[in-house]
Amino acid sequence: MKKILYFAVAAVLGLSVTSCSLDSENLTDSTTENFPRTEKDVTASLAAVYENLNAVNANPQMSFYYLSMLASDDNLGGGGANDKLMQAMDLLCNYNANMTEQFYKDRYEGIGRANAIIEALPNTALDDETKAQALGEAKFLRGFYYYELASQYGNVPLNIKPGDDNSQGEVTALWAQILTDLRDAAKDMPAKKLTDGHIDKYTAEAMLARVWLFYTGFYGNGTDIAALTSTNYSPLTSVELADGSTLTKQEVIGYIDDCVNNSGYELVPDFRNLWAYTNRYSVEQYPYTAGQGLEWVENDNGVNPESMFAIKFNKLASWNTTIGYGNGYALHFGIRGGQDVDQTFPFGQGWGAGPVAPNLVTDWQAAEPSDMRRDASIQDVRELTNYQFGGATWADFIQETNWFEKKQAAIAGFDGTKYQPCFEAFMYGDKGWENGVNFQTSNIHDLVLLRFADVLLMQSELKENVEGINKVRARAGLSPISSYSLKALQDERRWELAFEGVRWNDIRRWHIAADALNKQTNQPTYSRGKADVNSVHNGGYVARYNATAGFQKMPENQVLQGRVVQNEGWTGSDSEYQGW
């Protein structure tokens, strides 16, 4: 019997400006035998598990999502001369002994909360359907949190019971548990689409496919560094799960087909309406979108029919306690330089992480010269009025390029009279902001982690057909392709899902990472506003990838506690980034 924490729901799950915010108190009489018991108790406990999404956002620069952007071949590190963590992530290097430890600790806190409710649910007075839904949500989140940890660090300790404090075991057992959690959620949850911020069966089916494709591809040759960095792509077709059963590729296809055919999720007709720059306080003042009848699908808390799993944010972001309730990714990926918003409109100010790698732009132009998604996803800053390379008041921008990504950026607003650094101040009113309206905490548009277009592309990849690919291409105004190839699938995922946090694990699982990353070497950049190139550091991208397989350094504190051993490639001086 384990003591647990009670988390009272202070707001409603699922609304863009109210999301879930939690207070906690230790009720010493509450255990997994007597709490949660009612549906209200379960809702409160689940909210605590979901809240971990926002907890990690308090330090986005340590998270797997952040790593998956900067480490990929589509983004450089960026930031200023002192933002060595950004540049280190891009270069697959380390900066200080515990560079990402807070993410490690936060995700284990979320896993601990999930473990508590999973153990407690059999004792609840809920009907079978409600119990299956709650159990599925908790298992989904535990599986997702472990997926991120295992992707970032490799073989992390597996704890699936309240109070567990295990050391590393077999990495195959870790992934077997992740797949089991997602398989159980996909199999047992009620067949109902949810639009209230909760995970549903179909989202679990989609995440199962994502994890399956990564694990069976990345580990297809074995588990050691040589196998993981091999250029041989030979994915597994079956995996033994934690309960002793076997999950096959054909079964995963069944789940993804069910998601496509029965979920009710659908593509937004115009790709541009997915992104916040088409909100009603920016769209007509932005030359790229003006006069085209575009309308952001999430205007005024509208439901995005393509979004399946997203982090929600709200006005309660405060530097003191709840900074994770603001979209810190938008801040980090905002345009660096302290420039006036009318010089960068509709893009707001930020720290300048993840400048678009020039090799992505040239690859995309060569492969699909008429693809509207390129300009919908990438801004050429030379087209912004009075943009200053290097920055206006922060003239130390490193790895700057001519291009910024649009999808995750901070978005400014204009009401016909004045500018705001965050359009949300107009859309949701300038009252009630915990930290006032400011560019650092007032970005609160969703961070979408999984959308239906990804599902269609995963379906094509698993079934090796063009059906899903061509649906996605049709939305972009492109002609269909006649026959399936892995290269065509790889390209389509790169163009459609650019800057959405999936490219990094894609190139790793396809065993093309080293070659893809190397294309960033000597690409044209700017350093402190002057022409430069993306020069070799610490032996270069290929050497660092082959030494690490893309895993981050284990936090030294965890190594010293004896729970984990340090990952390969992180013990020598060649792993330590010294600066640009």
Side-chain angles (χ1 to χ4, degrees):
M1 183 173 67
K2 304 293 182 183
K3 297 286 184 180
I4 62 175
L5 294 177
Y6 174 79
F7 295 86
V9 179
V12 180
L13 275 166
L15 300 179
S16 292
V17 294
T18 53
S19 190
C20 61
S21 61
L22 310 169
D23 298 318
S24 65
E25 56 176 317
N26 188 3
L27 302 183
T28 57
D29 293 332
S30 294
T31 71
T32 51
E33 290 186 0
N34 63 27
F35 184 89
R37 298 300 296 272
T38 67
E39 188 169 351
K40 181 179 179 181
D41 294 342
V42 170
T43 298
S45 297
L46 273 176
V49 188
Y50 278 99
E51 192 270 345
N52 191 254
L53 296 168
N54 293 96
V56 163
N57 186 61
N59 297 281
Q61 72 277 12
M62 301 181 187
S63 71
F64 175 67
Y65 189 91
Y66 201 82
L67 171 68
S68 69
M69 291 277 284
L70 271 57
S72 83
D73 57 327
D74 289 346
N75 296 82
L76 303 181
N82 291 325
D83 291 318
K84 294 181 181 179
L85 182 149
M86 296 178 188
Q87 297 139 34
M89 278 195 169
D90 167 57
L91 299 166
L92 307 185
C93 295
N94 179 65
Y95 178 65
N96 85 41
N98 295 288
M99 187 173 84
T100 61
E101 186 183 30
Q102 192 59 51
F103 170 71
Y104 184 102
K105 293 162 65 175
D106 284 341
R107 277 292 182 250
Y108 270 107
E109 182 176 57
I111 288 165
R113 294 176 181 180
N115 288 341
I117 192 172
I118 290 168
E119 181 166 288
L121 273 167
N123 301 317
T124 58
L126 274 62
D127 62 78
D128 290 344
E129 182 174 301
T130 303
K131 191 178 294 187
Q133 174 64 31
L135 188 59
E137 291 180 62
K139 286 188 174 183
F140 174 97
L141 290 167
R142 182 172 71 180
F144 176 73
Y145 295 160
Y146 263 125
Y147 165 69
E148 289 203 326
L149 283 169
S151 294
Q152 180 148 325
Y153 300 108
N155 189 16
V156 296
L158 178 61
N159 300 318
I160 59 172
K161 295 289 185 182
D164 278 355
D165 190 19
N166 296 321
S167 299
Q168 287 168 306
E170 294 293 330
V171 70
T172 51
L174 171 65
W175 283 98
Q177 185 61 53
I178 297 169
L179 287 165
T180 301
D181 277 347
L182 294 171
R183 188 279 313 268
D184 288 351
K187 176 170 65 75
D188 298 336
M189 293 172 82
K192 293 181 179 180
K193 178 186 176 185
L194 301 178
T195 58
D196 59 359
H198 286 265
I199 299 300
D200 59 28
K201 173 187 182 68
Y202 305 110
T203 303
E205 291 175 332
M207 189 58 67
L208 174 64
R210 176 181 287 184
V211 173
W212 168 271
L213 285 167
F214 177 73
Y215 175 69
T216 58
F218 189 53
Y219 286 93
N221 302 314
T223 61
D224 62 15
I225 286 286
L228 299 177
T229 58
S230 165
T231 57
N232 177 59
Y233 177 56
S234 182
L236 305 172
T237 57
S238 65
V239 176
E240 184 176 345
L241 300 185
D243 61 3
S245 65
T246 298
L247 182 66
T248 67
K249 178 181 177 180
Q250 198 58 44
E251 288 175 299
V252 176
I253 289 173
Y255 285 117
I256 206 73
D257 281 348
D258 182 54
C259 182
V260 170
N261 297 331
N262 301 313
S263 69
Y265 291 100
E266 60 185 1
L267 295 179
V268 169
D270 194 305
F271 181 81
R272 295 167 294 183
N273 286 337
L274 287 166
W275 314 114
Y277 60 77
T278 57
N279 81 83
R280 58 191 173 87
Y281 289 100
S282 306
V283 64
E284 292 305 320
Q285 287 73 42
Y286 180 25
Y288 171 69
T289 55
Q292 299 184 60
L294 298 175
E295 184 176 353
W296 186 42
V297 290
E298 295 183 34
N299 270 338
D300 304 303
N301 287 319
V303 174
N304 181 346
E306 194 167 332
S307 175
M308 303 180 72
F309 181 33
I311 302 177
K312 300 286 184 177
F313 305 100
N314 58 47
K315 289 183 174 183
L316 302 179
S318 167
W319 286 115
N320 297 323
T321 55
T322 54
I323 188 62
Y325 295 142
N327 186 341
Y329 296 95
L331 172 65
H332 275 257
F333 292 116
I335 292 181
R336 184 178 180 80
Q339 303 181 54
D340 290 339
V341 69
D342 61 345
Q343 294 177 248
T344 60
F345 190 87
F347 305 104
Q349 183 171 299
W351 306 145
V356 175
N359 47 284
L360 169 62
V361 180
T362 55
D363 286 353
W364 203 337
Q365 289 173 335
E368 291 284 2
S370 61
D371 190 345
M372 57 82 65
R373 293 171 297 186
R374 186 176 61 256
D375 289 344
S377 304
I378 300 173
Q379 176 65 50
D380 186 337
V381 296
R382 293 167 295 189
E383 297 175 356
L384 298 175
T385 303
N386 297 322
Y387 178 84
Q388 296 183 50
F389 283 92
T393 58
W394 310 336
D396 64 343
F397 201 164
I398 303 297
Q399 292 181 293
E400 183 179 14
T401 70
N402 291 321
W403 297 281
F404 272 92
E405 63 86 15
K406 298 182 180 184
K407 291 180 176 179
Q408 312 306 343
I411 303 298
F414 183 70
D415 68 352
T417 302
K418 62 180 179 180
Y419 291 98
Q420 284 279 16
C422 305
F423 75 91
E424 293 94 330
F426 289 134
M427 184 164 289
Y428 307 120
D430 59 6
K431 306 298 182 184
W433 296 87
E434 186 73 16
N435 213 47
V437 173
N438 71 85
F439 81 97
Q440 297 186 70
T441 58
S442 298
N443 298 290
I444 60 172
H445 51 286
D446 289 1
L447 179 71
V448 178
L449 301 176
L450 176 64
R451 60 185 176 91
F452 190 63
D454 193 353
V455 174
L456 292 172
L457 294 175
M458 289 191 291
Q459 184 189 44
S460 272
E461 186 171 4
L462 286 162
K463 300 176 78 169
E464 299 184 40
N465 67 27
V466 299
E467 184 177 354
I469 293 174
N470 284 337
K471 288 177 182 177
V472 170
R473 289 178 64 81
R475 195 253 301 267
L478 297 173
S479 58
I481 61 174
S482 58
S483 59
Y484 176 86
S485 70
L486 180 60
K487 179 62 165 59
L489 181 280
Q490 290 171 339
D491 285 347
E492 204 63 43
R493 285 187 65 82
R494 192 182 187 192
W495 316 142
E496 174 69 25
L497 302 173
F499 320 122
E500 296 183 51
V502 299
R503 175 68 176 171
W504 175 231
N505 266 5
D506 275 355
I507 61 175
R508 294 170 78 196
R509 69 184 177 86
W510 290 324
H511 291 264
I512 61 172
D515 285 345
L517 293 171
N518 197 43
K519 291 182 180 180
Q520 298 172 110
T521 305
N522 292 325
Q523 289 291 317
T525 62
Y526 301 88
S527 292
R528 301 171 179 86
K530 297 182 179 180
D532 196 3
V533 294
N534 194 42
S535 55
V536 171
H537 286 71
N538 297 67
Y541 290 106
V542 173
R544 291 301 302 147
Y545 184 80
N546 286 337
T548 64
F551 293 126
Q552 272 283 296
K553 182 177 184 177
M554 287 284 190
E556 287 287 358
N557 286 341
Q558 302 301 317
V559 176
L560 291 172
Q561 291 169 22
R563 292 188 176 89
V564 297
V565 296
Q566 189 54 265
N567 284 327
E568 292 185 56
W570 294 104
T571 56
S573 60
D574 59 332
S575 68
E576 297 297 318
Y577 176 61
Q578 302 301 317
W580 202 264

